Amino acid sequence: MSDVVDADELLRRIRRSRDLAAEEERVWLERAQSLTATDPDRAREATERALTYQVVAGVLTEIIAPGSRPVEADGTGAAGVRHVT
């Protein structure tokens, strides 16, 4: 991993990673929904994994488009992170 990467390639990689995280979030949410009735413990774990991917996708979105995520009335973002200007 010692290749030199220009800004355009870096942006493409970040976008791909964001899209992958969003897809994984969707998959884990579906898995959690399907397990809710039969295995609540595994459903809870799947929900936690989905939340993890949601946070990762949010961070990558913030890198790509700073300030694009909504800020709550108390000054925190969707994940409870305070935005600093």
Side-chain angles (χ1 to χ4, degrees), residues 27 44 47 53-54:
V27 167
R44 191 176 309 110
T47 301
Y53 280 109
Q54 179 185 27

Side-chain angles (χ1 to χ4, degrees), residues 5-81:
V5 178
D6 66 358
D8 289 335
E9 177 62 20
L10 182 59
L11 185 58
R12 279 191 293 276
R13 290 179 185 189
I14 292 170
R15 285 183 174 149
R16 262 194 324 265
S17 299
R18 180 199 54 192
D19 294 344
L20 176 63
E23 176 63 20
E24 286 294 318
E25 176 192 1
R26 186 191 63 74
V27 167
W28 282 105
L29 282 175
E30 287 177 1
R31 187 171 296 162
Q33 194 172 37
S34 69
L35 290 170
T36 299
T38 59
D39 193 347
D41 289 335
R42 287 182 60 202
R44 191 176 309 110
E45 179 185 341
T47 301
E48 290 171 0
R49 287 178 187 245
L51 180 60
T52 302
Y53 280 109
Q54 179 185 27
V55 170
V56 169
V59 168
L60 294 173
T61 297
E62 185 66 24
I63 291 170
I64 294 169
S68 64
R69 294 178 52 92
V71 177
E72 303 297 323
D74 65 355
T76 60
V81 177

